[in-house]
Amino acid sequence: MDMKVSKKLGLKERYNLMTRDLAWTPTYQSVKDAFPYMEYEGIKIHDWEKFEDPFRMTMDSYWKYQAEKERKLYAIIDAFAQNNGHLGVTDARYINTLKLFLTGITPNEYMAHRGFAHVGRQFPGAGPRVACLMQSLDEIRHAQTQIHSLSNYNKHYNGFQNWHHQHDRVWFLSVPKSFFDDALTAGPFEFMIAIGFAFEYVLTNLLFVPFISGAAYNGDMGAMAFGFSAQSDESRHMTLGLEIIKFILEQDPDNLPIVQAWLDKWFWRGYRVLTLVAMMMDYMLPKRVMSWKEAWEIYAEQNGGALFNDLARYGIKVPKGWSQACKDKDHLSHQAWNVFYNYGAAAPFHTWAPGEKDMEWLSAKYPDTFDKYYRPLWTHYAKEQAEGRRFYNGTLPMLCQVCQVPMFFTEPDDPTKIAYRESEYRGMKYHCCSDGCKHIFDNEPEKYVQSWLPVHQIYQGNCFPEDADPSRPGFNPLAEVVRWYGIGWGRDNLDYADSEDKKNFETWRAQATGN
Amino acid sequence: MQIDLRTVSITPLRQTYNHVAERLGADKPASRYIEGTMDVQATHNFHYRPTWDPEHELFDPRRTRLVMKDWYALKDPRQLYYGTYTQARARMQEVAEADFEFVESRGLAERFDDEARRTALDFYVPLRHVAWGANMNGAFQCAYGYGTAITQPCLYAGMDQLGIAQYLTRLGLLLGNQGDLEAGKQAWMQAPAWQGLRRVVEDTWVLKDWFELFVAQNVALDGILFGLAYREVDAVLSERAGPTVSMLTRFQAEWFQDVTKWVDAVVKTAAAESAENKELLGQWYARWRGRVREALAPVAELALGADGAAALERAVAAVDARMHKAGLAV
Amino acid sequence: MAVKSIAPYEFASKDTADKFPAPLLYIGWEDHKMFCSPFCAPMPPSMKFGELVRGALPGMYGAHPDFARIDWDRAEWFVSGRPFTPDMDKTLAENGLGHKSVIRLRTPGLTGLDGTCF
Amino acid sequence: MSNVFIAFQKNEESRAIVNAILADNPDAIVNEQPAMVKIDVPHRLVVRKSTIEAEIGRDFDLQEMHVHLITMSGNVDETDDEFTLAWHQ
């Protein structure tokens, strides 16, 4: 229910009075001093009034509907905790997806909250300001509902307890962290294209729908509830993203090349982050919803295709890395899970080789690639593990300077060859995993020379606990890094087969079914 | 097979997240406010400097001169996280909605005393722009502040101000019409009585120190203005023409009580941290108290005539007393 | 193109050679993606290339069944993707390798588990 | 031709919304998933307040729909009476 004002006024007019009409152009201070970040990116805005409000929601309706969602959600969270709902999930392997979520996604919901507060302060246009600030509120909601929902898992399973500490430190978490840091440190317009449009509109369905449906498929009412509840805000966010890109493009023809370059960059940055989702869908869910490949076809190829078709009238082209991403869909998840299998000692969740039934599913979903390229690897690992030699990689990987993912990605047309790309800047070599990342580096080297690359930081000696002594005989650098990460050795990391999580889950489940 | 999972008695491995347990000093169950607030903001190893502020890290405690050893000491006594925040405001809006409904359905607006109506429209309607300015400032504090404990309620307060601007808009439309909103904006932009206040608001927009902005906006401007508008002016109008306006501004009056608890607690904790903080907060308060007081004098007069000056002094004194109690040398 | 910023935007690289105990060397073994990515390790410039091969590589790659089957005389080397003939008796520096050089090893005839390049 | 889509959580209220959408959009394709229902329509999808009200037997504000939404795709236009999603090309 929106504010009931004069019956004569329509929704749009009413909303105008409630938002835009409140704003004015300052005269005691210059516009440039009040909104100092509006010019340096080169985007030209002539008339902020032309922005189309995505949803016309006043604060009273916002409070009312959001409070209703919150009441429902917390009722479910409470019931889930009281009833030991965690014991109803398919098996404890599933819980590792939640650890990935809490450490990798939740802190970035918070980053989005701060980012939208920033642009919500900086835009001189009242329409986008208000929409951005509502999104900022929504994003802190998402961070908090996730922390609260997963709090009960944290009480019973290992690997959730240090999410805050780990987000700023652990090697693979620097992938999503650097993504959001990159967006927030960019200018306000680029942030909107990066997060508001490229991430929220083009890629968010690939992130959340699989996670939430995964929760539903695996009996996790708690995670399903927070996921769906968060998604209900997402339609507002997606619409803001679409309206803002259209608005910028309509304002001035000079904006097109800038926006296109940002789209190329942020599609690729976002796609690299989704690597984690691909492996989650295909390898970490005991009961799978759909394959990464199927999700990519529905949400990227069909839906994204329709979107870029629609934007073509502004001169926007499909982002640069699009066709490579479409080629990768047969390979991405398999290659990615191998990275975590390799470095399973350094991650705060458990890893495992897929079992025979899992491989049947993978083979059916990836008829052209799984048996040919990937099955022998998992079979080999299983054999080694059965003989007491579970493979862990003990040497640190080379990372991409831009996306920060270990350099496992293969050439677009040859899944057997790792792609290496090299640039030189100010007399030093920089390495990237792909044309997409190299392109990003070459455009803004001043930015990416600053990357806090976890592997390099380890070698610089910045990732050991204070009491560690590298000069002591028998100093084990990997073990010390893991300690600095706040990962309990043998408890939070290593193979699922030997984990406390597995043992506890089975014991507790047995208590539920017997005496 | 139906499994009754409730029957399983499990001893949890731990009660809360490690960073929360460290703050609580023990591994014990923590409130949702604490779990959803403490240490939620990233603190280390930022990858890139902001292109809009290369001098600072993305989140950087040096964006204010105030110094805190632990920014999470600035907790919100109301313990608002998103869930409790929206539910608290939803209750308030439900009451406000009922009040607006009542005023409308009983024809109270039409029957309202015309002189009081004029005063209400002339005084309250331009305040929607002050609230808009406050919304900008709440966003600023949230964006560039440090630590979720303080940035979170700053955004909540900023969004509350947007809601307040919208309630004032409805007040204008109910007691008057769209033309009164236009006239109010015209006055805000040009009428001499409002220019001092508009200048204050625009000056707060260019402050770089977010904590000084907190003192300017949340302590001085909100403190004095809300005291004047929703206590002093409200009382006079109520006496003169009945409680219609009180009903239409009840949200603001309740909100001011609520937010005062938080603002005072923040100032108190920040001042108690060090003599330097106390000194700094005192300077900021003195500066903005003076600016706001001066700017509000013609506005108070506009609403209350000759009684305006005394009403304004009472509003200022009330904030002085609060700040004194919070530890500032006032 | 360069970064657009509101004020000068120049920062030292986080990874200059002086910050490491020794220059970083990246090493990849072609067609053996069981080791998911190339490796990164600081290697003293005074280390002989032969020492790298005999001393460091077994620890890195020994877990792969192909490693024991390598015919080192037939091994092919690449630097930054270009063919390269290292002198085993010369140091890494004398072989032209510096901070953040990438070398790749190809072992003809060995193509990983069941020929999958893993 | 491109599809627009909208997806809802499955519950009593969204059941009515989905029925209304199916009534107003003869080309709609329904895709049922656990806990979620997704509706694809070629080119343009309309949600009408009046149809939902007839379906549930009470007043309905289109903004109530937000509580149940999961995701959607297409350009949004919202008035008091109608919510539409469309691709312009």
Side-chain angles (χ1 to χ4, degrees), chain A residues 22-24 28-29 40 59 62 78 114 118 129 144 147-148 151 154-155 157-158 164 177 185, chain B residues 13-14 17 32 35 39 41 44-45 51 82 129 135 142 144-145 152 166 185 195 198 202-203:
Chain A
L22 302 170
W24 73 96
Y28 295 107
Q29 293 288 344
Y40 77 88
M59 282 311 295
Y62 180 87
D78 284 340
R114 295 289 289 267
H118 160 65
R129 273 202 62 230
Q144 291 179 332
I147 291 165
H148 293 151
S151 175
N154 172 56
K155 290 178 180 166
Y157 301 92
N158 299 313
H164 161 70
K177 175 166 166 151
T185 54
Chain B
L13 303 182
R14 62 186 72 74
Y17 300 114
R32 286 196 168 133
E35 280 196 345
D39 300 307
Q41 177 203 287
H44 288 75
N45 306 323
T51 59
Y82 185 89
H129 304 294
N135 168 262
C142 175
Y144 312 115
Q152 167 176 239
Q166 294 173 344
K185 190 163 185 179
Q195 297 318 296
R198 183 157 71 86
E202 291 183 14
D203 287 353

Side-chain angles (χ1 to χ4, degrees), chain B residues 131-196:
Chain B
W132 175 258
N135 168 262
M136 298 253 296
N137 289 336
F140 187 98
Q141 296 155 5
C142 175
Y144 312 115
Y146 196 84
T148 308
I150 180 74
T151 56
Q152 167 176 239
C154 284
L155 181 68
Y156 295 159
M159 298 311 274
D160 290 339
Q161 294 271 15
L162 178 60
I164 287 168
Q166 294 173 344
Y167 280 121
L168 289 168
T169 304
R170 290 175 69 185
L171 176 147
L173 289 167
L174 195 50
L175 292 180
N177 54 45
Q178 223 175 314
D180 290 296
L181 298 183
E182 284 162 26
K185 190 163 185 179
Q186 181 85 1
W188 175 247
M189 292 307 293
Q190 281 161 9
W194 290 100
Q195 297 318 296

Side-chain angles (χ1 to χ4, degrees), chain B:
Chain B
M1 182 180 57
Q2 185 64 35
I3 307 176
D4 190 359
L5 299 169
R6 276 169 302 185
T7 59
V8 184
S9 168
I10 301 172
T11 309
L13 303 182
R14 62 186 72 74
Q15 296 294 344
T16 186
Y17 300 114
N18 281 3
H19 56 275
V20 176
E22 269 170 43
R23 288 188 173 276
L24 298 177
D27 178 31
K28 55 185 185 189
S31 71
R32 286 196 168 133
Y33 169 68
I34 291 292
E35 280 196 345
T37 302
M38 304 313 274
D39 300 307
V40 173
Q41 177 203 287
T43 48
H44 288 75
N45 306 323
F46 296 106
H47 291 276
Y48 326 100
R49 285 294 180 96
T51 59
W52 37 269
D53 181 13
E55 300 286 302
H56 293 102
E57 293 287 358
L58 183 49
F59 300 135
D60 194 324
R62 297 171 306 145
R63 285 200 180 94
T64 173
R65 286 163 63 204
L66 196 91
V67 177
M68 294 294 293
K69 202 162 83 244
D70 173 16
W71 284 94
Y72 285 89
L74 300 176
K75 285 195 280 292
D76 180 353
R78 303 166 300 171
Q79 303 194 26
L80 294 183
Y81 60 96
Y82 185 89
T84 46
Y85 166 68
T86 47
Q87 289 177 59
R89 292 296 172 266
R91 278 192 295 273
M92 286 166 65
Q93 79 82 28
E94 210 169 304
V95 174
E97 200 53 48
D99 285 345
F100 272 87
E101 191 91 34
F102 188 83
V103 170
E104 208 174 3
S105 64
R106 307 296 160 99
L108 297 185
E110 288 86 36
R111 284 191 274 125
F112 195 56
D113 173 76
D114 271 337
E115 198 188 326
R117 179 201 309 276
R118 198 65 263 152
T119 304
L121 288 170
D122 290 348
F123 176 73
Y124 287 112
V125 169
L127 294 182
R128 54 203 278 272
H129 304 294
V130 185
W132 175 258
N135 168 262
M136 298 253 296
N137 289 336
F140 187 98
Q141 296 155 5
C142 175
Y144 312 115
Y146 196 84
T148 308
I150 180 74
T151 56
Q152 167 176 239
C154 284
L155 181 68
Y156 295 159
M159 298 311 274
D160 290 339
Q161 294 271 15
L162 178 60
I164 287 168
Q166 294 173 344
Y167 280 121
L168 289 168
T169 304
R170 290 175 69 185
L171 176 147
L173 289 167
L174 195 50
L175 292 180
N177 54 45
Q178 223 175 314
D180 290 296
L181 298 183
E182 284 162 26
K185 190 163 185 179
Q186 181 85 1
W188 175 247
M189 292 307 293
Q190 281 161 9
W194 290 100
Q195 297 318 296
L197 187 57
R198 183 157 71 86
R199 183 189 289 270
V200 166
V201 172
E202 291 183 14
D203 287 353
T204 62
W205 285 356
V206 300
L207 284 178
K208 295 274 178 271
D209 187 311
W210 65 273
F211 212 100
E212 180 179 357
L213 180 59
F214 175 83
V215 173
Q217 175 70 54
N218 305 59
V219 178
L221 181 52
D222 288 349
I224 301 172
L225 175 62
F226 276 66
L228 177 70
Y230 304 108
R231 284 187 189 149
E232 299 291 341
V233 177
D234 179 71
V236 170
L237 285 179
S238 186
E239 197 176 312
R240 204 187 291 164
T244 302
V245 165
S246 302
M247 291 177 78
L248 301 181
T249 58
R250 178 144 133 193
F251 183 94
Q252 288 92 306
E254 278 183 26
W255 178 79
F256 183 47
Q257 280 195 332
D258 178 78
V259 86
T260 295
K261 277 186 258 172
W262 162 62
V263 170
D264 290 358
V266 169
V267 174
K268 189 176 174 185
T269 308
E273 173 91 359
S274 68
E276 290 79 8
N277 280 2
K278 189 177 156 177
E279 171 72 21
L280 195 57
L281 289 164
Q283 284 169 13
W284 284 337
Y285 177 60
R287 178 184 312 156
W288 289 100
R289 171 195 186 273
R291 296 279 322 266
V292 170
R293 182 173 173 228
E294 191 189 337
L296 281 177
V299 175
E301 194 187 325
L302 182 147
L304 303 173
D307 299 333
L312 177 58
E313 286 317 305
R314 284 192 296 275
V316 172
V319 186
D320 283 348
R322 282 170 48 201
M323 289 303 104
H324 179 73
K325 207 174 155 201
L328 302 195
V330 177

Side-chain angles (χ1 to χ4, degrees), chain D residues 33 51 57 66:
Chain D
Q33 290 175 24
T51 318
H66 286 280

Side-chain angles (χ1 to χ4, degrees), chain A residues 311-433:
Chain A
L311 291 174
R313 69 201 142 107
Y314 298 105
I316 284 289
K317 295 189 175 65
V318 168
K320 242 187 188 122
W322 187 267
S323 64
Q324 180 177 340
C326 295
K327 284 181 189 173
D328 289 349
K329 68 189 176 194
D330 270 314
H331 302 281
L332 186 65
S333 63
H334 317 291
Q335 298 176 354
W337 188 236
N338 185 35
V339 176
F340 283 83
Y341 193 89
N342 268 239
Y343 294 108
F349 60 84
H350 301 296
T351 51
W352 57 88
E356 193 47 50
K357 285 193 91 157
D358 298 319
M359 292 203 284
E360 271 171 34
W361 184 89
L362 289 163
S363 179
K365 292 293 179 184
Y366 294 95
D368 300 333
T369 53
F370 184 75
D371 289 341
K372 184 175 172 191
Y373 294 109
Y374 302 107
R375 184 187 280 270
L377 174 71
W378 303 121
T379 309
H380 171 75
Y381 282 155
K383 185 167 148 280
E384 289 286 296
Q385 188 171 6
E387 291 168 12
R389 291 190 305 270
R390 198 310 190 166
F391 172 65
Y392 291 106
N393 194 333
T395 313
L396 303 183
M398 177 181 186
L399 304 180
C400 172
Q401 186 74 26
V402 172
C403 70
Q404 310 207 8
V405 179
M407 298 250 303
F408 76 82
F409 300 102
T410 49
E411 292 287 357
D413 294 307
D414 187 349
T416 68
K417 293 276 175 285
I418 286 177
Y420 293 77
R421 299 291 182 272
E422 194 173 309
S423 293
E424 185 137 338
Y425 178 68
R426 303 218 158 153
M428 197 154 96
K429 292 184 173 71
Y430 293 90
H431 303 278
C432 289
C433 69

